[in-house]
Amino acid sequence: MFALQRSGLQDALSWPLLVAAVLWCCVAQSVNEPGNMSFVKETVDKLLKGYDIRLRPDFGGAPVAVGMSIDVASIDMVSEVNMQDYTLTMYFQQYWRDKRLAYSGIPLNLTLDNRVADQLWVPDTYFLNDKKSFVHGVTVKNRMIRLHPDGTVLYGLRITTTAACMMDLRRYPLDEQNCTLEIESCAYPRLSLSFKLKRNIGYFILQTYMPSILITILSWVSFWINYDASAARVALGITTVLTMTTINTHLRETLPKIPYVKAIDMYLMGCFVFVFLALLEYAFVNYIFFGRGPQMQKKLAEKAQKANNDRDGRLDVPRVDSQGNILLSTLEVHNEVAGNEVTTSIRESRNSSCAGLGLGLEHPRVQHRKPSATLGSSRLSLDRSQTAYPRKPRLRRRSSQLKIKIPDLTDVNSIDRWSRMVFPFAFSLFNLIYWLYYVN
């Protein structure tokens, strides 16, 4: 049942189409006949005879209504360097009514040779923001003239034009541009055709963003290189800085000199800052290891040495009691000169004849040297004993001098360890903020 109804509908629709096709074939056949061809020729000659292209249709009367249609074949190029323009290939058609070209006796439209356009009046249409345009001429000029029986004229051209487009590149290359084609004539007001262009980000990701990210990550490799490998870390840092500079220079050559900052400039500048900070990080580590650390330790050692010298100066002055005996602070004195120095203990000094003078009670821990030894010999003996047995402050002095040659490496390693975490985190945060801001 459904198939029968469908076939009936097809038959009902096919009859008018079949009749129209037969009529068109008959008319076309009648036009192509030798007798009718001569009639067409006579008609065209009659239309062009006495036709004045200097006067518009209905001269002195109402304005001529001109219609337009544009079929865009391709947008060939969008250039930001050459004063911000774009190149467009299109089929530009205009149609108007010229009563001087109306004809009868031929029921068909007449498509004439393109050279006939030079003998007819055409609108003075031009592109206001045009920089360079041309009509294609292979193999002949791509023009078309078609006449209708009521005098309507269809004039078509295949044009390639380069038009100016004032672009806002603040979000470049994540931007969208509105480019216009301004059509104007001396007889009618300006018309504007707008094109919304969205840039393909894939090219810039492969050519600019990915190399910049990889160069920035490469600069962090120096954080895992030993701090004393100066040649490796400095060479890596300088190489990454120069590479980022080269990328920036190449990008500036492909863009016009504009007074504001673009989105890609912000990203490349951020990558350059991270790379440069990675190089400065090693300069700081190098200063801590070879500069400030040894200097601070040297100053501390000098202060300790000065304090020890002051303490030694106070200890080297001998103390003498009222009887002329030299008071010693050491518990044991070695007898280096036979017959001149006698070492006595605390108990012996208490039992000697000096106990009657009360010296043992006043100085219970002080040892006495017999008065037979002179003061000069006592000082000589004391100096020799100190030379034979150096005191502990001098040992501390030597240990502090040894620390100057072996700097503390804890701060240097901690700087590198913190950099391994801080730099990737900061760069990831920078990327997150950048893409969220410019993509949305």
Side-chain angles (χ1 to χ4, degrees):
M1 184 66 181
F2 178 75
L4 291 176
Q5 291 180 353
R6 183 176 181 183
S7 62
L9 181 61
Q10 289 179 349
D11 294 339
L13 293 177
S14 61
W15 275 107
L17 296 177
L18 182 60
V19 172
V22 171
L23 291 176
W24 182 85
C25 292
C26 294
V27 172
Q29 184 177 3
S30 62
V31 171
N32 291 329
E33 292 179 356
N36 292 332
M37 289 293 294
S38 62
F39 179 73
V40 172
K41 179 179 178 301
E42 292 177 359
T43 302
V44 173
D45 292 339
K46 183 180 179 181
L47 293 176
L48 298 178
K49 184 178 180 180
Y51 186 90
D52 192 353
I53 64 173
R54 296 173 298 178
L55 302 178
R56 67 173 178 85
D58 297 331
F59 182 79
V64 179
V66 179
M68 296 181 185
S69 65
I70 297 177
D71 296 328
V72 178
S74 63
I75 297 178
D76 302 324
M77 182 178 60
V78 178
S79 175
E80 298 85 8
V81 181
N82 299 326
M83 300 300 293
Q84 304 182 18
D85 53 32
Y86 69 102
T87 303
L88 177 70
T89 300
M90 60 182 174
Y91 296 96
F92 182 62
Q93 296 179 346
Q94 303 175 87
Y95 51 91
W96 65 95
R97 187 178 181 183
D98 191 348
K99 296 179 180 179
R100 295 175 295 179
L101 298 177
Y103 59 91
S104 59
I106 303 176
L108 296 179
N109 302 331
L110 298 178
T111 302
L112 305 178
D113 187 82
N114 69 89
R115 288 170 290 186
V116 179
D118 297 331
Q119 305 177 37
L120 301 179
W121 178 90
V122 294
D124 54 351
T125 306
Y126 60 89
F127 301 120
L128 186 62
N129 58 337
D130 168 61
K131 290 184 176 181
K132 180 181 179 182
S133 299
F134 63 92
V135 177
H136 290 259
V138 180
T139 58
V140 294
K141 282 190 176 181
N142 297 174
R143 296 188 300 180
M144 180 194 68
I145 286 289
R146 181 177 295 168
L147 301 180
H148 295 258
D150 61 348
T152 302
V153 182
L154 178 62
Y155 179 50
L157 299 169
R158 181 169 175 252
I159 303 174
T160 295
T161 179
T162 300
C165 179
M166 300 307 296
M167 302 180 184
D168 185 4
L169 300 177
R170 287 182 174 86
R171 304 178 69 90
Y172 177 88
L174 304 172
D175 56 336
E176 295 182 358
Q177 302 295 338
N178 288 322
C179 294
T180 60
L181 184 64
E182 305 291 337
I183 306 172
E184 192 170 343
S185 174
C186 299
Y188 53 83
R190 182 186 308 176
L191 300 177
S192 180
L193 179 64
S194 179
F195 301 96
K196 187 174 182 180
L197 307 177
K198 185 175 182 180
R199 202 179 305 274
N200 188 3
I201 191 61
Y203 170 81
F204 297 94
I205 290 178
L206 295 178
Q207 296 295 325
T208 304
Y209 285 101
M210 286 303 298
S212 302
I213 293 174
L214 294 178
I215 292 299
T216 306
I217 295 176
L218 181 62
S219 65
W220 303 339
V221 176
S222 62
F223 302 151
W224 279 267
I225 300 177
N226 196 9
Y227 55 86
D228 57 354
S230 301
R233 296 188 68 164
V234 171
L236 179 61
I238 293 178
T239 301
T240 52
V241 169
L242 293 179
T243 304
M244 289 303 305
T245 304
T246 304
I247 295 176
N248 278 318
T249 303
H250 174 71
L251 180 66
R252 284 194 296 269
E253 292 176 354
T254 59
L255 293 174
K257 296 180 180 179
I258 50 181
Y260 49 83
V261 180
K262 301 176 290 296
I264 197 168
D265 292 336
M266 296 291 296
Y267 192 85
L268 292 180
M269 185 58 63
C271 293
F272 183 83
V273 168
F274 277 98
V275 169
F276 189 72
L277 288 178
L279 181 60
L280 290 183
E281 188 269 349
Y282 177 66
F284 181 70
V285 168
N286 189 71
Y287 172 72
I288 293 296
F289 180 66
F290 293 104
R292 192 190 70 172
Q295 291 178 1
M296 293 182 60
Q297 293 181 0
K298 185 177 180 180
K299 291 180 180 179
L300 293 176
E302 290 177 353
K303 291 181 181 180
Q305 183 177 2
K306 184 177 180 181
N308 293 336
N309 291 337
D310 294 341
R311 190 182 301 109
D312 292 345
R314 291 194 301 268
L315 293 176
D316 288 343
V317 177
R319 297 166 56 189
V320 182
D321 61 0
S322 60
Q323 300 298 327
N325 297 321
I326 298 176
L327 304 180
L328 303 179
S329 60
T330 56
L331 297 178
E332 184 177 2
V333 179
H334 294 274
N335 191 4
E336 296 183 358
V337 182
N340 292 329
E341 295 179 321
V342 178
T343 304
T344 58
S345 62
I346 297 177
R347 293 181 181 179
E348 290 177 351
S349 63
R350 288 181 179 178
N351 296 330
S352 62
S353 60
C354 295
L357 298 176
L359 296 176
L361 297 175
E362 294 177 2
H363 304 283
R365 298 187 61 186
V366 176
Q367 297 177 349
H368 301 272
R369 185 177 296 165
K370 288 188 176 183
S372 59
T374 61
L375 182 61
S377 62
S378 299
R379 289 183 178 178
L380 179 62
S381 175
L382 183 61
D383 293 339
R384 290 181 179 179
S385 64
Q386 291 178 354
T387 304
Y389 296 94
R391 295 176 180 175
K392 291 183 179 180
R394 294 189 178 183
L395 293 177
R396 295 196 198 97
R397 193 184 316 153
R398 292 181 180 178
S399 63
S400 63
Q401 292 176 355
L402 186 62
K403 288 181 180 180
I404 298 176
K405 300 179 181 179
I406 307 176
D408 187 10
L409 304 182
T410 305
D411 295 337
V412 176
N413 292 329
S414 63
I415 293 174
D416 282 338
R417 284 195 300 269
W418 277 101
S419 299
R420 296 169 192 171
M421 297 182 292
V422 172
F423 274 76
F425 175 77
F427 188 66
S428 301
L429 183 62
F430 167 74
N431 277 272
L432 180 63
I433 297 175
Y434 176 86
W435 292 106
L436 287 178
Y437 177 78
Y438 283 105
V439 171
N440 293 333

